[in-house]
Amino acid sequence: CAFCRSGRANLCDDRRVLGVSCGEYRRHGCFAEYVSVPARGVHRLPGDLPLEQAALIEPVSVAVHAVGRSGVTPTDTAVVVGAGMIGLLVVQALRAAGCRSVVAVDVDPAKLDWARRFGAAEAFAAGSAAAEVRRITEGRGADVALDCVGVSESLQTAVACVRKGGAVTLVGNITPSVGLPLQAVVASELTLVGTCASNGEYPRAIELMGRREIDVTPLISLVAPLAEGPSLFDRLYAREPGLMKVVLQP
C-alpha cells in the first residue's frame, strides 16, 4: 500500500499484529507452539539478552517510536504523563535520546518512585504537575509532553505542562475519546502528535536493551508457565497491585 511504500508500515492498510485483540488487525498465534512470520519480522538477539527480557522488545519499540515522533532534542525538558510500564519505558527512551531533563507525572506515589529510579529528574503528582513544571522551568513550561495514559485528565495535564509552541505526543489510548482543552491548544499554538505502535525500531530497541540503556528487568513482575496464563490474565485485568508485566514460558 502507499503507506508501506513511503516507509510507514505501521499505518499499513492491511496491517496484521500477532496476538492483538483489535478486530481490524488481529492475527492469532502468539501462544502457539510454532508460528510463521515474515522474515522482516525476525531479529537476531544479543547472546546475553535473556528471552524473558527479549519478550519486552515490542513495548520498548513503542516507547522508542513515541520519543522519535515527539521531536525531542537534547536541550529540551520533557514531561511524561503516566508512569505505568509504557511511561517508564518512555522515560528511559528519552534519556537514551539525550533529553536534558525528564519529568514524570502520575497519581500514584509508588509509580513516581519508579520513574525516579529509571532516570526522571523530577516526579510530581498529577494535581500539582503543571504548577511544578512551570516552577522548575522558570515559568516557561516544558518543551514536549508525552501522554502515556489516554484519558481526558492526562491529556489536559500534558497540555497544561507545555510551553507556548510546544508539542504533546499522544501515546496511551485507554479511552477512544477524550476531552481536548481546545482553547489552550489553539492559543498556545501547540502541536499534537499521534504515535501508533512502532515502525522499524526493533533493532534500536534491541541495541538499547543490550547496552542496558533501557532496563526492563524491574518491570517483569512474574515469570510463569503458560498453563497459568488464564488466571494471570484475570489478575492483570483486575489491576492487581504490584503486577505490571507477566512473561509466560512455554
Side-chain angles (χ1 to χ4, degrees), residues 54-120:
L56 272 69
I57 291 171
E58 188 275 336
V60 171
S61 73
V62 169
V64 173
H65 181 66
V67 169
R69 290 279 294 156
S70 74
V72 70
T73 70
T75 60
D76 284 346
T77 295
V79 171
V80 179
V81 181
M85 188 191 68
I86 292 296
L88 294 173
L89 293 174
V90 167
V91 167
Q92 295 185 76
L94 284 164
R95 293 297 305 273
C99 182
R100 179 184 63 180
S101 179
V102 180
V103 179
V105 175
D106 203 281
V107 296
D108 184 347
K111 290 183 177 179
L112 295 178
D113 289 339
W114 276 97
R116 294 185 187 95
R117 176 177 176 179
F118 283 117

Side-chain angles (χ1 to χ4, degrees), residues 1 3 15 18 42 68 81 94 106 115 143 162 168-169 173 178-179 188 195 208 212 242:
C1 70
F3 293 109
R15 183 174 178 234
L18 281 171
V42 178
V81 181
L94 284 164
D106 203 281
D143 301 286
V162 295
V168 175
T169 299
N173 59 339
V178 295
S188 294
T195 176
L208 291 172
R212 302 298 186 265

Side-chain angles (χ1 to χ4, degrees), residues 161-237:
C161 284
V162 295
R163 60 170 172 78
K164 293 180 180 179
V168 175
T169 299
L170 310 176
V171 186
N173 59 339
I174 290 178
T175 54
S177 299
V178 295
L180 175 68
L182 184 60
Q183 180 61 31
V185 172
V186 172
S188 294
E189 202 166 289
L190 303 184
T191 299
L192 298 183
V193 180
T195 176
C196 178
S198 62
N199 184 32
E201 284 86 4
Y202 270 46
R204 176 62 174 162
I206 293 169
E207 177 188 2
L208 291 172
M209 293 171 69
R211 297 205 307 250
R212 302 298 186 265
E213 290 188 47
I214 291 184
D215 184 11
V216 300
T217 306
L219 303 178
I220 301 174
S221 309
L222 186 64
V223 178
L226 183 60
E228 295 182 18
S231 64
L232 285 166
F233 276 117
D234 289 338
R235 290 167 62 186
L236 287 164
Y237 187 76

Side-chain angles (χ1 to χ4, degrees), residues 131-177:
E132 293 289 358
V133 169
R134 300 282 171 187
R135 177 182 62 79
I136 65 173
T137 57
E138 299 179 345
R140 183 167 172 264
D143 301 286
V144 300
L146 297 95
D147 177 10
C148 297
V149 184
V151 296
S152 294
E153 294 81 2
S154 60
L155 176 57
Q156 290 162 11
T157 297
V159 169
C161 284
V162 295
R163 60 170 172 78
K164 293 180 180 179
V168 175
T169 299
L170 310 176
V171 186
N173 59 339
I174 290 178
T175 54
S177 299

